[in-house]
């Protein structure tokens, strides 16, 4: 007998028929003798609808009230799910975050889980019930409802799996796993069978949207193997697990792209101590996350700084940077929103040289100009013109033969 946590996203519980189907799927597993904990999202589109309603009341909605509102979507699905199970003659119980208790900090709308009490869930499991937990929500120590940030149900599932020491954590979604790249733009994209936590973290932060990034960090910390798979088919999905030898010998595991960033260049800044600090302190004080930063050397004692910010923060960032630029006597500030970041990711980069060069060669062959480059141990990212994103992704996918296991020749 195993203890299994299964999470179903909004598209998997989008209407009564789908809820019934998913409930039957869980009941089969329960009937086979497993203890089942189910974590649900709100029906697809509901959370967005609530956000829209809230902004009709208050331009910038009060965050405490926002959490009371947003958490209601998950309350609906867990209750309906429990009813669907009972209707078929099996026993189930729905539990909200504050009943479980999923204790969080007080950061409304992006709360972090501090502790999960497994006692109540275990009690109901021991009574033979399927336990249905509302995803995405928690409660502060003094009883206020919180939510974990958009997409937070994945985090609830992984945190529950860790707290209950579950044997399996399965995330059911509307795609059948993690792909080498976005199948919508590259027909050769291949489902990955196993991927390491670190690679998944990079792919998630670079714009692959299958799993919420915080859930991957949590899975890594507590060594929870996560199985991402489709709720509409029985096929095996992708296992997100600890790194092993086969992963290391692969050259590149995936290509990700991100069209949600913008670049800002400050030209001819005096090259003296304290300039980067003057420039970036007000930007980070405004809560704007700067990603890539490049500082060039120029002849004389002037330098250029180029960096990227989320596109949603572009106007605000430009305003702040223009103010600082005037103060530090920079010559000009220019920005562009027509850019994209394309990245290759793989733990194999630790052991194989020349991977970045291959990437540059591929982009050169396609006539794509690289504006910025950044690297980490397991990734290489290039900023290019947005209109070349699809071309770059396909060319890189081909060049690294990601449609096959791209093991280097000597290791095949
Ligand atoms: N319902 C929430 C959202 O749409 C949480 C989730 O689906 O994971 O963001
Ligand atoms: Mg989701």
């Amino acid at each position: 007998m195993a203890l299994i946590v299964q999470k179903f996203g909004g598209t998997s519980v989008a209407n009564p028929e789908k809820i019934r189907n998913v409930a039957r799927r869980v009941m089969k597993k329960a009937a086979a003798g497993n203890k089942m904990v189910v974590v649900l999202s709100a029906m697809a589109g509901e959370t967005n609808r609530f956000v829209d309603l809230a902004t009709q009341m208050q331009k910038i909605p009060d965050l405490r009230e926002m959490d009371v509102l947003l958490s209601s979507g998950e309350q609906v699905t867990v209750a309906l799910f429990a009813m669907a199970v009972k209707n078929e003659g099996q026993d189930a119980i729905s539990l909200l975050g504050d009943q479980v208790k999923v204790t969080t900090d007080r950061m409304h709308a992006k709360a972090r889980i501090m502790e999960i009490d497994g006692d109540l869930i275990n009690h109901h499991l021991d009574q033979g019930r399927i336990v249905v937990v509302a995803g995405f929500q928690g409660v502060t120590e003094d009883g206020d409802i919180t939510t974990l940030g958009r997409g937070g149900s994945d985090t609830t599932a992984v945190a529950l799996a860790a707290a209950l020491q579950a044997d399996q954590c399965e995330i059911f979604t509307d795609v059948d796993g993690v792909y080498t790249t976005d199948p919508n733009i590259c027909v050769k994209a291949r489902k990955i069978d196993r991927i390491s936590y670190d690679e998944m973290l990079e792919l998630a932060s670079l714009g692959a949207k299958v799993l919420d990034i915080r859930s991957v960090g949590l899975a890594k910390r507590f060594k929870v193997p996560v199985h991402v798979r489709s709720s509409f088919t029985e096929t095996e999905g992708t296992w997100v697990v600890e790194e092993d030898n086969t992963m290391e010998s692969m050259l590149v595991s995936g290509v990700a792209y991100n069209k949600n960033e913008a670049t800002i260049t400050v030209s001819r800044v005096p090259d003296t101590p304290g300039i980067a600090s003057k420039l970036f302190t007000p930007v980070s004080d405004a809560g704007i996350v700067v990603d890539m930063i490049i500082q060039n050397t120029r002849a004389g004692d002037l330098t250029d700084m180029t960096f990227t910010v989320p596109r949603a923060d572009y106007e605000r960032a430009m305003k702040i940077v223009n103010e600082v630029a005037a103060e530090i006597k920079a010559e000009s500030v220019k920005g562009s929103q027509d850019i994209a970041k394309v990245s290759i990711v793989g733990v194999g980069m630790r052991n194989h040289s020349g991977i970045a060069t291959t990437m540059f060669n591929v982009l050169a062959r396609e006539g794509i100009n690289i504006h910025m480059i950044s690297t980490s141990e397991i990734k290489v990212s290039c900023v290019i013109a947005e209109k070349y994103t699809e071309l770059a992704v396909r060319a890189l996918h081909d060049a690294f033969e990601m449609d096959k296991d791209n093991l280097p020749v000597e290791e095949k």
Side-chain angles (χ1 to χ4, degrees), residues 104-179:
T104 72
D105 63 16
R106 286 167 222 267
M107 294 294 286
H108 284 289
K110 50 175 179 207
R112 283 177 159 271
I113 297 176
M114 318 291 284
E115 205 187 322
I116 291 185
D117 188 341
D119 288 354
L120 186 62
I121 294 179
N122 278 321
H123 163 77
H124 288 297
L125 288 173
D126 288 341
Q127 306 293 310
R129 298 187 180 111
I130 293 172
V131 179
V132 197
V133 180
F136 175 57
Q137 52 178 256
V139 64
T140 64
E141 271 164 353
D142 28 77
D144 274 331
I145 293 174
T146 51
T147 62
L148 309 180
R150 298 304 305 271
S153 297
D154 292 349
T155 302
T156 306
V158 172
L160 272 176
L164 299 167
Q165 298 185 317
D167 299 291
Q168 278 178 43
C169 180
E170 298 196 292
I171 307 280
F172 288 84
T173 176
D174 50 4
V175 293
D176 54 7
V178 180
Y179 275 71

Side-chain angles (χ1 to χ4, degrees), residues 2 53 70 79 104 107 131 145 155 161 193 211 216 233 252 255 310 316 330 341 360 366 384 396 400-401:
L53 284 172
L70 293 191
T104 72
M107 294 294 286
V131 179
I145 293 174
T155 302
D193 296 330
L211 268 183
V216 186
T233 68
V252 174
V255 197
R316 270 194 323 135
K341 185 168 70 182
F360 306 150
E366 300 296 334
I384 60 172
L396 289 165
F400 287 102
E401 300 192 323

Side-chain angles (χ1 to χ4, degrees), residues 7 9-10 40-43 47-48 70 74 135-136 149-154:
K7 179 256 170 179
L40 300 181
S41 290
M43 290 180 179
T47 312
N48 288 339
L70 293 191
E74 275 71 11
F136 175 57
R150 298 304 305 271
S153 297
D154 292 349

Side-chain angles (χ1 to χ4, degrees), residues 59-286:
K59 219 168 170 187
I60 301 171
D62 180 272
L63 288 179
R64 182 192 178 278
E65 303 313 326
M66 192 70 171
D67 277 352
V68 174
L69 175 67
L70 293 191
S71 62
S72 66
E74 275 71 11
Q75 179 161 352
V76 171
T77 47
V78 289
L80 292 176
F81 190 100
M83 290 175 195
V85 173
K86 287 176 193 234
N87 190 52
E88 308 258 338
Q90 272 195 42
D91 202 5
I93 185 162
S94 66
L95 294 175
L96 302 180
D98 61 329
Q99 291 176 295
V100 166
K101 270 189 164 194
V102 179
T103 310
T104 72
D105 63 16
R106 286 167 222 267
M107 294 294 286
H108 284 289
K110 50 175 179 207
R112 283 177 159 271
I113 297 176
M114 318 291 284
E115 205 187 322
I116 291 185
D117 188 341
D119 288 354
L120 186 62
I121 294 179
N122 278 321
H123 163 77
H124 288 297
L125 288 173
D126 288 341
Q127 306 293 310
R129 298 187 180 111
I130 293 172
V131 179
V132 197
V133 180
F136 175 57
Q137 52 178 256
V139 64
T140 64
E141 271 164 353
D142 28 77
D144 274 331
I145 293 174
T146 51
T147 62
L148 309 180
R150 298 304 305 271
S153 297
D154 292 349
T155 302
T156 306
V158 172
L160 272 176
L164 299 167
Q165 298 185 317
D167 299 291
Q168 278 178 43
C169 180
E170 298 196 292
I171 307 280
F172 288 84
T173 176
D174 50 4
V175 293
D176 54 7
V178 180
Y179 275 71
T180 48
T181 195
D182 182 352
N184 295 316
I185 66 172
C186 180
V187 288
K188 290 189 194 162
R190 178 177 62 89
K191 188 176 75 194
I192 302 172
D193 296 330
R194 292 161 63 78
I195 189 167
S196 70
Y197 295 122
D198 285 328
E199 288 168 316
M200 194 63 231
L201 281 170
E202 288 288 2
L203 290 175
S205 68
L206 295 170
K209 295 174 231 63
V210 194
L211 268 183
D212 182 37
I213 186 160
R214 288 157 307 163
S215 70
V216 186
L218 210 59
K220 179 183 171 179
R221 197 162 126 218
F222 293 101
K223 297 189 170 42
V224 179
V226 176
H227 188 191
V228 186
R229 58 190 306 191
S230 165
S231 56
F232 307 118
T233 68
E234 294 288 338
T235 46
E236 280 273 305
T238 301
W239 282 93
V240 188
V241 290
E242 284 192 276
E243 197 174 318
D244 64 31
N245 294 337
T246 35
M247 295 174 185
E248 269 176 31
S249 48
M250 295 265 287
L251 289 174
V252 174
S253 300
V255 197
Y257 64 91
N258 185 342
K259 294 183 176 180
N260 297 318
E261 292 189 39
T263 54
I264 298 178
T265 301
V266 188
S267 299
R268 299 184 144 260
V269 187
D271 194 3
T272 52
I275 289 299
S277 154
K278 275 214 181 82
L279 191 59
F280 293 114
T281 305
V283 176
S284 68
D285 285 350

